[in-house]
């Protein structure tokens, strides 16, 4: 089983890849019953949070708290549960939790290996960044008021139960990080909400821009869920990237935008046509190919390194079957007479022969089958970097 297959199956159950891609291209929230209360137990448990809170890594702003009963912002000020250096003060944190504040641990996939592997698997499916934030809400409490997220989310109910209200339509169509929630401007009509009760093992998919809130019933056990953030780029991101890429090739994009002429009516009248001509320079197949390559490079270089080796990994032998490390994002970029393998570590220059070896190693191969001593030395270098692992 690969990381991608494992993560996809855990997140989406029996849904096929085409069904999930169609789900993500829709604008409606969907609730998927799990039927197995222990479904997400391998990812996380309250004991894991307890252990984390007893480490030096438990600091603000990674650890925050929220309480919708507060006046003003639901965010609990950090100084109420941290020391001066940002470390969590467990006595104060527990006091606030017992009083109804939700514990939030952001980007916990960077601290917890099971979540790290799960997110990496989904990244390999969707080819964009994926994160995992943790929410533990005490009985009779609500962390956040009605809001929408600026990226698609997948809510995995780990333990307990949580009552959600989800609206049918996007309150803010296709919201991004540049369109944050503003309660004074956007108000969801309570009559338009659907009630969804998430039980352990259930999944809730909420597209960005869809309003929602959630609370825990009085007298029940605490609710623990993972919010998986699906950080897809927007068309605005793609067009910005296209302009940035094509600027090197298109002199018209490098010409001055003559601010000293914007008071001239004749100049202003021509701006729209001038902009249209320049957008045409990026509305082509070459530009879109460059954008796709850029996004793949960003995925390969920006995400956390997860090398396919340990401190005790031995050097490979000529008959060891090796394969590209499943948890490592990488992309091959043509450079001059050869290519470069780019990832979160140092780039690896590839000759044409080595490029052929990489293609064979994607399915698994031995150094002897690749080409003897030169191939063995090449493989040893990639094993040392963590780019190859034993199949």
């Amino acid at each position: 089983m690969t990381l991608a297959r494992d993560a996809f199956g855990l997140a989406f159950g029996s849904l096929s890849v085409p069904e999930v891609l169609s789900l993500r291209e829709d604008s409606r929230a969907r609730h998927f019953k799990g039927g197995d209360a222990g479904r997400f137990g391998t990812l996380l448990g309250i004991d894991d949070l307890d252990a984390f809170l007893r480490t030096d890594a438990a600091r603000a702003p990674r650890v925050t708290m929220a309480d919708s009963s507060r006046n003003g912002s639901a965010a609990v000020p950090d100084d109420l549960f941290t020391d001066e250096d940002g470390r969590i003060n467990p006595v104060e944190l527990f006091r606030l939790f017992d009083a109804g504040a939700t514990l939030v641990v952001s980007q916990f996939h960077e601290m917890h290996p099971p979540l790290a592997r799960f997110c990496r698997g989904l990244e390999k499916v969707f080819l964009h960044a994926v994160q995992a934030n943790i929410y533990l809400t005490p009985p009779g409490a609500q962390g956040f008021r009605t809001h929408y997220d600026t990226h698609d989310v997948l809510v995995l109910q780990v333990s307990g139960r949580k009552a959600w209200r989800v609206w049918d339509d996007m309150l803010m169509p296709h919201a991004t990080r540049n369109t944050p929630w503003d309660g004074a401007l956007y108000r969801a009509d309570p009559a338009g909400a659907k009630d969804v009760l998430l039980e352990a093992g259930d999944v809730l998919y909420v597209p960005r821009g869809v309003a929602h809130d959630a609370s825990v019933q009085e007298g029940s056990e605490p609710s623990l869920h993972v919010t998986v953030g699906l950080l897809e780029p927007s068309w605005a991101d793609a067009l910005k990237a296209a302009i940035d890429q094509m600027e090197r090739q298109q002199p018209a994009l490098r010409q001055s935008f003559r601010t000293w002429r914007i008071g001239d009516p004749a100049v202003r009248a021509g701006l729209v046509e001038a902009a249209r001509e320049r957008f045409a320079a990026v509305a082509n197949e070459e530009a879109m190919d460059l954008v796709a390559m850029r996004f793949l490079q960003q995925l390969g270089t920006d995400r956390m390194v997860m090398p396919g080796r340990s401190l005790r990994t031995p050097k490979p032998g000529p008959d060891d079957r090796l394969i590209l490390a499943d948890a490592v994002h990488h992309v091959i970029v043509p450079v001059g007479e050869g290519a470069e393998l780019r990832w979160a570590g140092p780039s690896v220059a590839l000759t044409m022969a080595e490029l052929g070896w990489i293609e064979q190693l994607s399915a698994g191969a031995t150094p002897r089958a690749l080409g003897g001593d030169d191939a063995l030395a090449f493989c040893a270098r990639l094993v040392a970097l963590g780019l190859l692992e034993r199949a």
Side-chain angles (χ1 to χ4, degrees):
M1 297 290 281
T2 65
L3 281 182
R5 191 178 299 117
D6 289 348
F8 187 89
L10 185 58
F12 298 106
S14 61
L15 292 180
S16 67
V17 171
E19 287 173 328
V20 170
L21 298 185
S22 295
L23 172 74
R24 295 210 56 201
E25 290 161 359
D26 198 355
S27 60
R28 295 171 297 171
R30 293 280 302 278
H31 175 208
F32 300 98
K33 294 293 292 181
D36 176 9
R39 175 179 177 180
F40 302 118
T42 57
L43 288 182
L44 183 72
I46 294 178
D47 288 347
D48 296 314
L49 290 181
D50 272 326
F52 168 69
L53 292 175
R54 286 163 170 76
T55 70
D56 191 57
R59 297 170 174 260
R62 184 181 295 277
V63 178
T64 58
M65 304 193 82
D67 187 347
S68 66
S69 68
R70 290 177 51 83
N71 291 325
S73 172
V76 177
D78 292 351
D79 59 7
L80 294 184
F81 59 92
T82 63
D83 296 329
E84 291 183 358
D85 61 359
R87 295 183 189 184
I88 297 306
N89 181 324
V91 174
E92 294 304 317
L93 184 145
F94 293 147
R95 180 184 65 80
L96 289 166
F97 179 78
D98 291 343
T102 292
L103 171 66
V104 183
V105 184
S106 299
Q107 310 287 315
F108 199 48
H109 64 284
E110 295 179 349
M111 315 295 295
H112 191 56
L115 280 175
R117 293 177 63 80
F118 174 75
C119 288
R120 184 55 48 92
L122 291 184
E123 286 175 348
K124 294 176 82 68
V125 174
F126 295 123
L127 301 181
H128 64 58
V130 175
Q131 67 182 21
N133 295 341
I134 312 305
Y135 299 83
L136 181 66
T137 302
Q142 177 176 332
F144 294 97
R145 304 181 185 101
T146 308
H147 65 284
Y148 58 71
D149 292 307
T150 59
H151 51 261
D152 298 347
V153 300
L154 201 64
V155 179
L156 314 180
Q157 189 68 27
V158 178
S159 62
R161 308 166 81 193
K162 202 162 196 178
W164 288 70
R165 294 191 305 167
V166 183
W167 277 256
D168 278 336
D169 300 321
M170 289 184 173
L171 190 60
M172 170 54 70
H174 311 296
T176 71
R177 61 187 179 277
N178 296 319
T179 52
W181 173 266
D182 185 342
L185 296 177
Y186 311 118
R187 297 190 183 279
D189 179 4
K194 287 184 177 178
D195 293 326
V196 176
L197 180 62
L198 281 194
E199 300 181 289
D202 286 1
V203 174
L204 178 65
Y205 171 68
V206 185
R208 56 195 172 112
V210 171
H212 57 275
D213 57 38
S215 60
V216 180
Q217 296 175 342
E218 193 71 58
S220 62
E221 64 177 295
S223 164
L224 175 63
H225 79 257
V226 180
T227 292
V228 180
L230 304 172
L231 310 179
E232 69 275 18
S234 68
W235 260 107
D237 295 324
L239 290 174
K240 290 172 188 174
I243 291 171
D244 185 51
Q245 294 288 303
M246 296 301 289
E247 180 183 354
R248 305 169 191 175
Q249 304 174 29
Q250 296 288 343
L253 293 174
R254 303 195 299 269
Q255 288 176 335
S256 298
F257 184 88
R258 295 173 179 169
T259 54
W260 57 90
R261 294 282 191 185
I262 58 177
D264 183 335
V267 172
R268 291 186 58 174
L271 287 180
V272 172
E273 183 58 33
R276 185 178 292 114
E277 291 173 357
R278 284 158 178 78
F279 272 117
V282 302
N284 57 58
E285 187 173 345
E286 179 187 9
M288 292 301 100
D289 285 344
L290 289 172
V291 168
M293 182 63 70
R294 178 165 180 164
F295 285 159
L296 289 175
Q297 280 190 241
Q298 287 179 335
L299 182 65
T301 59
D302 292 353
R303 305 308 286 165
M304 182 174 65
V305 180
M306 293 178 64
R309 60 156 294 176
S310 70
L311 293 171
R312 302 178 64 175
T313 296
K315 293 181 179 179
D319 296 311
D320 285 337
R321 185 172 173 79
L322 304 171
I323 195 168
L324 290 173
D326 196 20
V328 175
H329 290 315
H330 73 275
V331 62
I332 305 294
V333 179
V335 176
E337 297 296 322
E340 263 186 14
L341 187 155
R342 295 181 184 171
W343 62 303
S347 296
V348 178
L350 301 172
T351 65
M352 293 307 295
E354 291 167 342
L355 180 59
W357 294 342
I358 288 290
E359 291 174 355
Q360 294 179 67
L361 287 164
S362 64
T366 67
R368 188 186 304 278
L370 292 177
D373 291 343
D374 289 344
L376 178 60
F378 175 75
C379 290
R381 182 158 61 98
L382 267 57
V383 167
L385 289 171
L387 281 165
L388 290 180
E389 58 191 3
R390 283 166 173 80

